Amino acid sequence: MLAQEMIDAMSKRGLRVTDQRRTLARLFAEAPGYLSAKDVYDEMGKTYGGLSFDTVYRNLRVLQEMDVLEQFVFEDGVKFKAHCREHGHHHHAICLHCEKTYAVPFCPLDIQVELPQGFSVVKHKFELFGYCEACGPQAEAGGAGR
Amino acid sequence: MLAQEMIDAMSKRGLRVTDQRRTLARLFAEAPGYLSAKDVYDEMGKTYGGLSFDTVYRNLRVLQEMDVLEQFVFEDGVKFKAHCREHGHHHHAICLHCEKTYAVPFCPLDIQVELPQGFSVVKHKFELFGYCEACGPQAEAGGAGR
DNA sequence: GTCAATGCAAAGGTTTTGCATGATG
DNA sequence: CATCATGCAAAACCTTTGCATTGAC
């Protein structure tokens, strides 16, 4: 998602386009992978001296509620990335090194999965973790495993 | 997993079997679903007056490191349950109402999933969320969704 | 000018750590 | 009786909330 698209989305929904939000949009548009609230705070802090944590949280939340950002609960905390442009239902392969995500069009539920007796599925998760072509398995040593 | 098995596992690994750990084992052996640290604290607090949070956390961590307990990161926090007895690789269907988990023997990776170019998989998740036969879809209203 | 966004301060919740006390093997 | 587990207190951490000020439209 381009920074401009995110900004337009905010504007269209009646949110005010501030300097900070422009920078936030650019940050996520350019980020290769996921960013935690702290990542965002640190990165934005370089530009904005008196930046405060609550503003970062507020903006992350607003943007997530607008579907501009996607939230993902990692074992070491919540992180965000720009909403992916992939159309239709799909899943993700996430690189443990660069945390970039790749679309996986296949969905396990499209085939006949044997469910527990009488279980009705509401939601499902299917995620692959590993190393992408660019990072390669050699990245494993210093990887972001866990 | 039976409470006695958990206790034996602790003993075997040189941990001391205290009253509290016995109760903890029983609690997880009897719990239908997942328990958060707070759930455990509240439940154990009924029996132990001066129970402290740090002890609960310490024991949960120790038991998890010993593979007696399984940890699961829900969107609303970390929860624990007794390690499941299912043999071999499998996945889980989790009831959003009672949080009980059911084994799903099928694994998506057993069939030919088209992966991103050059992606090497290290780990994967496949989880189903919904309502089990006992709870039924009617539980949805008061369910533990989110 | 009006209303939303920000910064500041403070609070709430969760999890961890250090140290004296008490219980287990 | 040596050591580990516990309770207590306090801290660290993450996230949220209320209020005055600043800035966008």
Side-chain angles (χ1 to χ4, degrees), chain B residues 6-136:
Chain B
M6 300 197 222
I7 292 168
D8 291 348
M10 294 191 231
S11 177
K12 210 175 91 186
R13 294 253 203 143
L15 295 184
R16 292 191 176 159
V17 179
T18 64
D19 253 27
Q20 227 181 90
R21 283 178 177 166
R22 248 188 294 268
T23 306
L24 193 63
R26 220 175 313 121
L27 180 59
F28 275 105
E30 290 165 7
Y34 285 87
L35 298 173
S36 67
K38 188 168 182 316
D39 291 338
V40 173
Y41 177 75
D42 291 345
E43 197 55 43
M44 303 253 308
K46 291 177 186 170
T47 315
Y48 302 92
L51 181 66
S52 58
F53 245 113
D54 45 277
T55 307
V56 171
Y57 277 104
R58 266 185 297 237
N59 281 329
L60 288 176
R61 180 140 48 116
V62 168
L63 292 185
Q64 189 237 316
E65 282 167 359
M66 286 174 53
D67 276 331
V68 167
L69 294 183
E70 271 179 41
Q71 196 180 27
F72 191 95
V73 181
F74 285 90
E75 306 218 339
D76 67 336
V78 175
K79 297 184 184 180
F80 300 84
K81 76 174 188 69
H83 199 283
C84 64
R85 334 183 64 182
E86 189 76 10
H87 356 267
H89 182 67
H90 63 283
H91 293 277
H92 292 119
I94 304 172
C95 180
L96 293 170
H97 188 248
C98 67
E99 288 192 341
K100 196 161 184 281
T101 65
Y102 299 84
V104 174
F106 170 75
C107 175
L109 296 190
D110 285 348
I111 64 175
Q112 292 225 333
V113 175
E114 198 183 326
L115 299 174
Q117 184 66 240
F119 195 93
S120 64
V121 177
V122 169
K123 196 176 108 171
H124 65 286
K125 278 192 186 174
F126 175 47
E127 288 141 15
L128 303 172
F129 300 88
Y131 297 97
C132 71
E133 187 161 38
C135 293

Side-chain angles (χ1 to χ4, degrees), chain A residues 16-18 37-38 53-54 57-58 61:
Chain A
R16 293 189 177 162
V17 178
T18 64
K38 189 169 182 313
F53 245 112
D54 46 277
Y57 277 106
R58 266 187 296 236
R61 180 140 49 115

Side-chain angles (χ1 to χ4, degrees), chain A residues 9-138:
Chain A
M10 293 191 232
S11 177
K12 208 175 92 186
R13 293 253 203 144
L15 295 184
R16 293 189 177 162
V17 178
T18 64
D19 253 29
Q20 228 181 90
R21 283 179 176 165
R22 249 189 292 269
T23 307
L24 192 64
R26 221 175 311 122
L27 181 59
F28 275 105
E30 291 165 6
Y34 286 87
L35 298 173
S36 67
K38 189 169 182 313
D39 291 337
V40 173
Y41 177 75
D42 290 345
E43 197 56 42
M44 303 253 308
K46 291 178 187 171
T47 313
Y48 301 93
L51 181 67
S52 59
F53 245 112
D54 46 277
T55 306
V56 171
Y57 277 106
R58 266 187 296 236
N59 280 329
L60 288 175
R61 180 140 49 115
V62 168
L63 291 185
Q64 190 238 315
E65 282 167 359
M66 286 175 52
D67 275 331
V68 167
L69 295 183
E70 270 179 43
Q71 195 180 29
F72 191 95
V73 180
F74 285 90
E75 307 217 339
D76 67 337
V78 175
K79 298 184 185 181
F80 299 84
K81 77 173 185 72
H83 198 283
C84 64
R85 335 183 64 182
E86 189 75 9
H87 355 267
H89 183 68
H90 63 282
H91 293 278
H92 292 119
I94 302 172
C95 179
L96 294 171
H97 188 248
C98 68
E99 286 191 344
K100 197 160 184 281
T101 65
Y102 299 84
V104 174
F106 170 76
C107 175
L109 296 189
D110 284 346
I111 63 175
Q112 290 226 335
V113 175
E114 199 182 324
L115 299 174
Q117 184 65 238
F119 194 93
S120 64
V121 176
V122 169
K123 194 177 106 171
H124 65 285
K125 278 190 187 176
F126 175 48
E127 288 140 16
L128 303 172
F129 300 88
Y131 297 96
C132 69
E133 187 163 39
C135 293
Q138 74 281 2

